[in-house]
Amino acid sequence: MASTPTRTTPTRSAPSRIDTFFDITKRGSNIATEIRGGVVTFVAMAYIVILNPIILSSGQDVAGNALGFPQVAAVTALTAGVMTILFGIVARLPFAFAAGLGINSFLAVSVVGQVTWPEAMGLVVINGLIIVLLAATGLRRLIFNAVPVQLKIAITVGIGLFIAFIGFVDAGFVRTTGSASPPIGLGIAGSVATIPTVIFVVSLLITGILVARKVKGALLIGIVASTIIAVIAELIFKVGASNGGENPAGWNLSVPALPAQIVSLPDLSLIGQVSFGSFERIGALAALMLVFTLVFTNFFDAMGTMTGLSREANLADADGNFPRLRSALIVEGIGAVAGGATSGSSNTVFIESGAGIGEGARTGLANVVTGLLFILAMFFTPLTQVVPTEVAAAALVIVGTLMMAQIKDIVWTEFSAALPVFLTVTVMPLTYSIANGIGAGFISWVILRAFSGKAREISPLLWVVAAGFAIFFARGPIEMLIG
């Protein structure tokens, strides 16, 4: 008697499940491109594992204590890795996380002069909880939707210019002159004839040629090739580090040389070193003003960055909205909480994610790759110093160029819109702050549009946000009034 054939249920392979979960094919990408994009984003962001400890460990708190460099480096990599992976899985977008440069500088320069480091991180946690609440209730999305399309495009263009400017400064191509006029200039005394800056120019040209010829993996190939050139140049010329300006012809942050030690165990002792005693130490009003500053910086830096990145990845609709917006906003707030809880400063979306997006990343799978590399970086912190900042800076200039292309969608014929757009685009790089650019744009938009007979077109929420920014910009005198 013949046996009855059994019917088997077809099962999808692991790659197909990954594709479906992240909508990889739907967004016009593939797994190889996402992996490559995730690697490029990590390379462009790896400097934060060095720079964040430099910034945070340089500030002594009111009790005379400072954070240790290796401890901050470890929690910087850990928090960036965990939050990047979480965002990739929940929001499924290629926006990587790390310690925000604006907030960490604010903490090290302004906050810890009044409170201890654990108390400062407690304020960061409170800031994150407020942002999570705003996102969960939908208020953050309402504010996001209230922003006019012209301003959203301007934010993207401004971030592109900001990214490029960061690249020029990090590479030493643009430097402070030390005088009132001009405040900045080309290289050293108008010359870019230093080895690191020449490497930046070479890297920019190599990568630019690859992008122009539409070579797949152009940014990654450019970064790897330029790093090899940089290592050879350092072996020949023995340039050394800049050491905070003592050697102006030196490498900015990391010397491109193979480290003597490759693996090191991370010191995670800073995790949980949080206190909420600032309200008692400096008073509730002063503490709330610090929280207000953190929330505004965190809120609008992230909003502007996500707007710009989503448009660059072609994931935004005509109004600037992108997939899983509410989830993205909630996780971004959680990044602030996580950064405070680990003493690594508020974690937020990084504009350097544009490097991976420029490489073709379109989904959260790229984030998973970037996050895993950050976690590995805890153990291989010395290797993060192999790629010099000057090489990563060239990739940022390329990405900034790509993002600036959206300026063609801005309507310049109506001056009540043109001036706010112009202020948004220019104030960002000139003040080194995305939030400042957005604030200048919002305030000028509501005032010019209102006095141009277009008050009814302005969302009430935009009026509220503009008023909040006015307070944000005037916080110095307000802090003096409240003691």
Side-chain angles (χ1 to χ4, degrees), residues 19 132 442:
D19 190 309
V132 170
F442 282 12

Side-chain angles (χ1 to χ4, degrees), residues 361-373:
R362 295 293 180 271
T363 77
L365 179 59
N367 259 35
V368 174
V369 174
T370 303
L372 289 174
L373 290 173

Side-chain angles (χ1 to χ4, degrees), residues 55 58-60 103-114 117:
I55 293 172
S58 66
Q60 279 197 344
I103 288 182
N104 60 8
S105 300
F106 176 63
L107 291 173
V109 174
S110 301
V111 177
V112 295
Q114 307 172 58
W117 270 113

Side-chain angles (χ1 to χ4, degrees), residues 126-168:
I126 295 171
N127 146 68
L129 292 174
I130 292 173
I131 291 175
V132 170
L133 180 63
L134 292 174
T137 57
L139 183 57
R140 192 175 186 184
R141 181 167 185 169
L142 288 174
I143 296 172
F144 186 88
N145 292 337
V147 180
V149 174
Q150 289 290 298
L151 282 182
K152 286 180 179 178
I153 298 173
I155 290 169
T156 304
V157 174
I159 290 174
L161 189 58
F162 184 32
I163 287 176
F165 189 54
I166 289 174
F168 286 131

Side-chain angles (χ1 to χ4, degrees), residues 28-81:
S29 184
N30 56 63
I31 291 178
T33 298
E34 295 301 308
I35 293 174
R36 189 170 63 241
V39 172
V40 168
T41 294
F42 171 76
V43 171
M45 292 176 59
Y47 72 88
I48 195 63
V49 180
I50 303 168
L51 185 56
N52 192 48
I54 289 175
I55 293 172
L56 292 184
S57 63
S58 66
Q60 279 197 344
D61 64 18
V62 70
N65 298 318
L67 300 178
F69 187 99
Q71 291 85 357
V72 176
V75 296
T76 298
L78 174 64
T79 312

Side-chain angles (χ1 to χ4, degrees), residues 70-305:
Q71 291 85 357
V72 176
V75 296
T76 298
L78 174 64
T79 312
V82 172
M83 288 309 308
T84 297
I85 293 172
L86 179 64
F87 190 85
I89 293 174
V90 175
R92 301 175 195 176
L93 295 166
F95 306 166
F97 274 57
L101 289 176
I103 288 182
N104 60 8
S105 300
F106 176 63
L107 291 173
V109 174
S110 301
V111 177
V112 295
Q114 307 172 58
V115 299
T116 65
W117 270 113
E119 289 166 352
M121 292 304 169
L123 294 175
V124 174
V125 171
I126 295 171
N127 146 68
L129 292 174
I130 292 173
I131 291 175
V132 170
L133 180 63
L134 292 174
T137 57
L139 183 57
R140 192 175 186 184
R141 181 167 185 169
L142 288 174
I143 296 172
F144 186 88
N145 292 337
V147 180
V149 174
Q150 289 290 298
L151 282 182
K152 286 180 179 178
I153 298 173
I155 290 169
T156 304
V157 174
I159 290 174
L161 189 58
F162 184 32
I163 287 176
F165 189 54
I166 289 174
F168 286 131
V169 172
D170 286 351
F173 191 81
V174 173
R175 300 178 189 236
T176 178
T177 62
S179 60
S181 181
I184 58 174
L186 179 67
I188 301 174
S191 171
V192 295
T194 65
I195 298 301
T197 308
V198 169
I199 293 296
F200 161 75
V201 174
V202 170
S203 180
L204 182 62
L205 294 176
I206 291 174
T207 310
I209 291 169
L210 293 172
V211 172
R213 294 183 65 87
K214 299 181 179 179
V215 175
K216 287 188 175 181
L219 288 176
L220 182 57
I221 294 171
I223 289 170
V224 173
S226 301
T227 299
I228 293 172
I229 295 172
V231 170
I232 295 173
E234 175 60 23
L235 286 172
I236 296 173
F237 298 104
K238 308 293 183 183
V239 178
S242 66
N243 293 324
E246 293 179 10
N247 174 23
W251 302 96
N252 188 12
L253 285 178
S254 55
V255 177
L258 295 177
Q261 182 182 6
I262 296 177
V263 180
S264 61
L265 291 175
D267 183 345
L268 303 176
S269 58
L270 287 178
I271 295 177
Q273 298 296 315
V274 178
S275 169
F276 299 100
S278 58
F279 288 82
E280 182 179 352
R281 183 183 297 274
I282 61 176
L285 285 176
L288 286 173
M289 184 56 65
L290 293 176
V291 171
F292 176 83
T293 304
L294 289 169
V295 169
F296 254 73
T297 304
N298 216 145
F299 187 110
F300 287 101
D301 266 10
M303 191 192 80
T305 302

